[in-house]
Amino acid sequence: MKNLLLRIFLCLTLVVLLFFPSYCADGVLLGIKLFINSLLPAILPFIIFSNFMIQLDYSWQIGRLFYPITHTLFGVSYYGSYAVIMGFLCGYPVGAKITSDLYLNGSITKAESDYILKFVNHASPSFIQGYVVLSLLNTPEYRFIAIILTYLPEVITGIIFRRHKSFKNIDTSASKIKYPINKILDDSLSNAILTVVKIGGYLIIFTTIAGIIMKITFIPDIFKVIMVALLEITSGTYYLSLLNISLSLRLLCIVAACVLGGVSTFFQINSVLSKFEYKKRDYIYSKCVSLIIMIILYVILFTIFN
């Protein structure tokens, strides 16, 4: 069944490429624009910084600053605390990348990395506040509510999946190989650029598919918007913001798309975890749990404030 669907998809893609090249060109141009203007400046500096900190073995010091909070909530170690904090600050897919790097570096266990991956993958604060609240909805008064709806479900999800586990700090000082600063910086840059290029490739692919879907005339607009939102969140949230529904419902739909992340984000995360074995169904399950919690919080908040 999978092979049949793949063949059908590839055949349809070939037809579009041959007979409707402008559809693909528009999507590719949009993807490149999003990559250069949004994704590249948002995640490249953080990945370089994180690679550098991990290679120098300084990441545990940052993690230790937040350890009293992160360990109380999630039971994570010093290094795990670093992954949690950077994941919450940087958004998709930096949290997954850092968690994988720390595990491959021997700084956290497989069990801790599997656990952290269940709640550190979400949209960044700058994406939620700058793009969603201010640019798309133009409602600065919803900024606080949008932040709560995006991040509190992830915190609750992390607490739910913790199940009373507590991860011990690993002393890695004896096993670390000391490299010159110039080699560490060179490796950090190479790794970060390769990672960002791969992520950008997936962004362009799914933005192109989203653009093609939006040009299909026989599908009702609402279904096209839902399909695009499930594929790629940047263009998906844009089309969701144009729906002719109440402002609060538009906020709900957009935050829901951000919580789920879309197929594009799933492939981006899968890309940065290429050397890390993890259960994809666990990721999908945790995203569904976060979505349910977000909807419950939305009902509570808008019941209180309205």
Side-chain angles (χ1 to χ4, degrees):
M1 187 64 181
K2 282 184 179 179
N3 290 334
L4 177 61
L5 291 175
L6 179 59
R7 290 172 187 173
I8 294 173
F9 174 75
L10 291 176
C11 289
L12 291 174
T13 302
L14 180 60
V15 169
V16 173
L17 288 172
L18 290 174
F19 297 101
F20 305 97
S22 62
Y23 289 10
C24 297
D26 292 343
V28 170
L29 290 174
L30 176 59
I32 293 173
K33 181 180 178 181
L34 291 174
F35 174 71
I36 294 174
N37 295 335
S38 300
L39 189 144
L40 190 64
I43 70 173
L44 181 60
F46 286 106
I47 293 180
I48 295 173
F49 170 79
S50 182
N51 287 343
F52 198 67
M53 296 299 288
I54 291 173
Q55 289 295 319
L56 287 175
D57 200 28
Y58 290 164
S59 53
W60 71 273
Q61 297 184 21
I62 297 177
R64 188 174 64 173
L65 294 175
F66 300 93
Y67 181 78
I69 299 173
T70 55
H71 186 75
T72 300
L73 290 174
F74 310 117
V76 293
S77 62
Y78 285 159
Y79 289 105
S81 177
Y82 172 77
V84 170
I85 294 301
M86 291 297 288
F88 272 89
L89 290 177
C90 304
Y92 297 117
V94 178
K97 172 74 168 58
I98 292 172
T99 303
S100 174
D101 289 344
L102 289 171
Y103 167 68
L104 296 174
N105 204 34
S107 300
I108 58 177
T109 64
K110 182 67 165 60
E112 185 173 8
S113 56
D114 285 339
Y115 166 63
I116 292 173
L117 286 173
K118 290 181 171 66
F119 64 95
V120 297
N121 294 298
H122 38 68
S124 67
S126 60
F127 183 86
I128 296 297
Q129 295 188 75
Y131 182 67
V132 171
V133 176
L134 298 180
S135 180
L136 295 183
L137 298 178
N138 193 26
T139 54
E141 65 274 15
Y142 277 172
R143 183 182 298 178
F144 185 63
I145 292 177
I147 290 294
I148 291 177
L149 291 176
T150 304
Y151 300 106
L152 187 55
E154 301 294 346
V155 173
I156 296 173
T157 299
I159 294 172
I160 290 172
F161 281 102
R162 178 182 176 182
R163 295 169 184 164
H164 307 291
K165 292 190 291 286
S166 184
F167 301 97
K168 295 181 180 180
N169 295 308
I170 299 176
D171 185 4
T172 61
S173 57
S175 60
K176 297 293 183 183
I177 300 175
K178 303 297 182 182
Y179 293 105
I181 293 293
N182 63 319
K183 176 174 172 50
I184 292 175
L185 182 57
D186 184 65
D187 290 345
S188 298
L189 284 169
S190 301
N191 179 273
I193 291 171
L194 177 61
T195 300
V196 170
V197 168
K198 290 167 66 177
I199 293 170
Y202 283 113
L203 173 65
I204 293 170
I205 289 171
F206 285 97
T207 302
T208 303
I209 297 173
I212 293 171
I213 290 173
M214 291 305 299
K215 292 181 181 295
I216 299 175
T217 56
F218 60 85
I219 300 178
D221 288 344
I222 183 65
F223 292 114
K224 289 192 290 187
V225 171
I226 292 172
M227 290 169 64
V228 170
L230 291 175
L231 277 176
E232 201 282 311
I233 60 172
T234 306
S235 53
T237 50
Y238 168 75
Y239 290 117
L240 286 171
S241 70
L242 301 178
L243 290 176
N244 188 25
I245 56 178
S246 68
L247 183 60
S248 59
L249 281 178
R250 271 184 284 159
L251 176 67
L252 172 64
C253 294
I254 289 173
V255 175
C258 292
V259 169
L260 288 176
V263 180
S264 175
T265 301
F266 175 78
F267 275 88
Q268 292 172 26
I269 291 171
N270 192 53
S271 174
V272 300
L273 297 178
S274 58
K275 298 180 181 179
F276 179 95
E277 293 184 7
Y278 81 110
K279 295 180 180 178
K280 298 177 179 62
R281 63 183 180 184
D282 287 350
Y283 169 80
I284 296 172
Y285 177 57
S286 64
K287 290 282 95 182
C288 292
V289 171
S290 296
L291 178 63
I292 293 170
I293 295 171
M294 187 277 293
I295 294 172
I296 294 172
L297 288 173
Y298 170 87
V299 173
I300 294 172
L301 287 173
F302 277 90
T303 300
I304 293 173
F305 289 107
N306 289 340

